[in-house]
Amino acid sequence: MTVAKKVTLSVIKADVGGLAGHHVVHPDLLATVTRVLAEAKEEGVIEDFYVTNVGDDIQLIMTHYKGVDNSEIHGLAWKAFKEAADVAEKLGLYGAGQDLLAEAFSGNIRGLGPGVAEMEFVERPSEPVVVFMADKTEPGAFNLPFFRIYADPFNTAGLVIDPKLHSGFTLEIMDLLENKLYRLDMPEEMYDALALLGTPSRYTIKRVYRRSDGEIAAVVSSERINIIAGRYVGKDDPVAIARAQAGFPALGEILEPFAFPHLVAGWMRGSHHGPLMPVSQRDAKCTRFDGPPRIVALGFNIKNGKLIGPSDLFDDPAFDETRRLAQIIADYMRRHGPFMPHRLGPEEMEYTTLPEVLKKLEKKLVSK
C-alpha cells in the first residue's frame, strides 16, 4: 500500500529591524530574505515560499517535505533573518536583529527569538489554508477568535450542521510560564478551557485537532520573547495557520471572529491594551501609538507542495465597520493615558520603571 506523502507548511517570523522605528520593514530586508529562500528553493531545500511583512515583522511562509522542527528548514530561516539583520544594521534601522537572541544557530530556531507555526499533513484534493500574521500583540491574541472558530456554534455553523465537524475539536493549550500542555475536548471540557484561555498572557491555544480522526486543524506560534530572554527584547507578534473547508471550518467561519476587534495586550512598548484590527496587506503598518495592533490574513491553496495565491482576505469592505469600531476603541483606551486598563498591570508590562520608582521613594515613606 502506498503511503501518502505529507507536506509541511512552516510560517516563521522575526523582527530584525524597522524603518523609522517599530513601523514597517524596509524593502531591502524583504529582498534579502527573498534571495536566500529563492536559492534554497533552487537547491531543493524547500518546495515553495512566499515572503511578506506585517508591521516591522518579516514573515517567511514555506512548504517542504521535511516535517516540523526540521533543523535544515529552521537553519534556513535563521540564515535569512541573520542576513537581513546585517542589512538592517548597515542601514541604521531601528532594533536591528532584536528578535535574534543568540549568536549562532543551534539546530532549532525555537527559543532563539523568532516565532514559529508549523503543521504537517497529507494534502486533500483541494487544500485551502489561512495564514494569520499579527503585529504589536501576543500569542494569546488568538485565544478568543480560535475558541470561537473551533468551539462556538454561534460562530461556526458547521459544528451543528456539518457531519464532519459535529464531533468537535480538541484544543491544545499551553501554559507559557510553566511550559505545560493541556488537551481539552470541545464541547465537554469547554468551561475548563475557558478558565485557562481567559488569561491569554499565560495560557494560549497552541494546536487544534479534529476529534474524529486527530487530524491537525490549526497551530499558533507560542514563543514569548520576553520570557525566553528574561528581559524585554521585542513584541511577540504571533503567527498562526488554519486549514479550511472539507472537514474543517469554512473560510468564512474562520474569518468571522475577527469582525470583533477584541482587546489584546501589546501596542505601545508592549505594555498596553488595544483593539486587534484586521487590515489588508497594504495597511499592515503600525503608526498610531505604534499601532493599534494589526492582523493580516492571507489565503492559499496548496497543491503538490506549491503555494497557490495568496488572497488578501481582510482586504474587504465587509471589515470596514470592524476597522471603524477599532478606531473608536483605540480612542477610548488612549484617553486613559498611563492608567489601567489601557496600561497593562505591572506583572505583565514589558517596560516598567516601578522598581526604580519604589526604591527612590523609600526616603518618602511615612509611618502608618
Side-chain angles (χ1 to χ4, degrees):
M1 184 176 67
T2 303
V3 178
K5 195 175 186 181
K6 289 186 175 182
V7 68
T8 304
L9 176 59
S10 298
V11 182
I12 306 180
K13 53 71 57 178
D15 178 354
V16 295
L19 176 62
H22 291 297
H23 166 225
V24 74
V25 174
H26 191 282
D28 287 0
L29 273 61
L30 296 176
T32 298
V33 299
T34 297
R35 173 184 53 78
V36 172
L37 296 193
E39 292 172 354
K41 180 179 177 181
E42 184 69 23
E43 295 167 1
V45 177
I46 55 177
E47 193 70 21
D48 204 0
F49 72 93
Y50 185 83
V51 169
T52 188
N53 75 286
V54 175
D56 54 358
D57 292 286
I58 297 174
Q59 320 283 342
L60 310 181
I61 302 170
M62 301 174 285
T63 55
H64 53 92
Y65 291 100
K66 301 179 184 296
V68 301
D69 286 329
N70 179 268
S71 61
E72 190 174 14
I73 299 300
H74 284 210
L76 170 63
W78 182 261
K79 176 184 178 183
F81 290 140
K82 285 291 284 185
E83 292 194 18
D86 291 341
V87 174
E89 188 171 1
K90 290 176 183 177
L91 295 175
L93 300 182
Y94 190 73
Q98 73 167 33
D99 281 2
L100 307 181
L101 306 183
E103 290 298 319
F105 178 69
S106 58
N108 191 303
I109 207 167
R110 296 183 191 275
L112 300 185
V116 183
E118 297 180 292
M119 61 165 64
E120 183 183 33
F121 50 84
V122 175
E123 281 185 29
R124 296 169 288 168
S126 178
E127 186 63 58
V129 298
V130 180
V131 176
F132 291 103
M133 300 160 289
D135 189 25
K136 303 300 183 286
T137 187
E138 62 183 7
F142 283 105
N143 282 10
L144 177 56
F146 271 36
F147 172 81
R148 287 179 168 165
I149 294 167
Y150 298 104
D152 182 1
F154 283 84
N155 176 86
T156 302
L159 293 170
V160 177
I161 65 177
D162 186 343
K164 295 180 180 178
L165 272 64
H166 195 67
S167 59
F169 291 88
T170 297
L171 305 183
E172 187 175 87
I173 300 173
M174 185 173 214
D175 181 339
L176 295 174
L177 295 184
E178 297 190 12
N179 198 30
K180 294 178 179 178
L181 281 174
Y182 301 90
R183 281 196 174 189
L184 300 179
D185 292 333
M186 302 297 106
E188 295 92 329
E189 297 174 299
M190 178 185 297
Y191 295 164
D192 293 337
L194 288 171
L196 302 180
L197 297 176
T199 308
S201 60
R202 175 165 180 172
Y203 300 99
T204 69
I205 292 176
K206 178 62 180 175
R207 297 179 188 89
V208 181
Y209 299 93
R210 189 167 58 196
R211 286 182 64 184
S212 60
D213 56 5
E215 184 73 8
I216 185 73
V219 63
V220 179
S221 66
S222 57
E223 293 76 17
R224 289 194 66 185
I225 296 175
N226 58 324
I227 292 177
I228 293 169
R231 57 188 175 86
Y232 177 74
V233 292
K235 315 291 192 301
D236 301 306
D237 306 332
V239 291
I241 305 168
R243 298 169 75 187
Q245 310 290 160
F248 298 105
L251 176 63
E253 293 170 334
I254 290 172
L255 299 179
E256 173 64 15
F258 296 93
F260 170 59
H262 66 293
L263 291 174
V264 298
W267 209 351
M268 171 60 71
R269 303 182 185 273
S271 299
H272 295 79
H273 283 118
L276 185 63
M277 185 166 71
V279 297
S280 65
Q281 186 71 68
R282 67 177 175 273
D283 291 327
K285 49 190 177 184
C286 296
T287 55
R288 185 183 178 190
F289 202 56
D290 276 0
R294 313 283 169 104
I295 187 165
V296 169
L298 296 183
F300 295 89
N301 272 74
I302 299 176
K303 187 63 176 178
N304 298 325
K306 303 295 184 183
L307 290 167
I308 313 301
S311 174
D312 193 348
L313 297 171
F314 289 142
D315 185 14
D316 184 343
F319 288 94
D320 283 351
E321 284 301 300
T322 303
R323 290 184 274 267
R324 188 184 71 85
L325 178 57
Q327 295 286 20
I328 293 172
I329 295 170
D331 283 338
Y332 175 81
M333 297 301 288
R334 285 296 301 123
R335 290 191 182 188
H336 289 80
F339 287 84
M340 296 170 64
H342 181 31
R343 196 204 75 195
L344 300 184
E347 71 284 351
E348 293 185 61
M349 290 181 66
E350 293 174 348
Y351 282 98
T352 180
T353 57
L354 188 58
E356 290 80 3
V357 169
L358 290 174
K359 183 176 181 180
K360 183 177 70 173
L361 294 180
E362 285 180 358
K363 59 186 177 183
K364 299 284 188 177
L365 283 171
V366 294
S367 59
K368 293 182 180 179

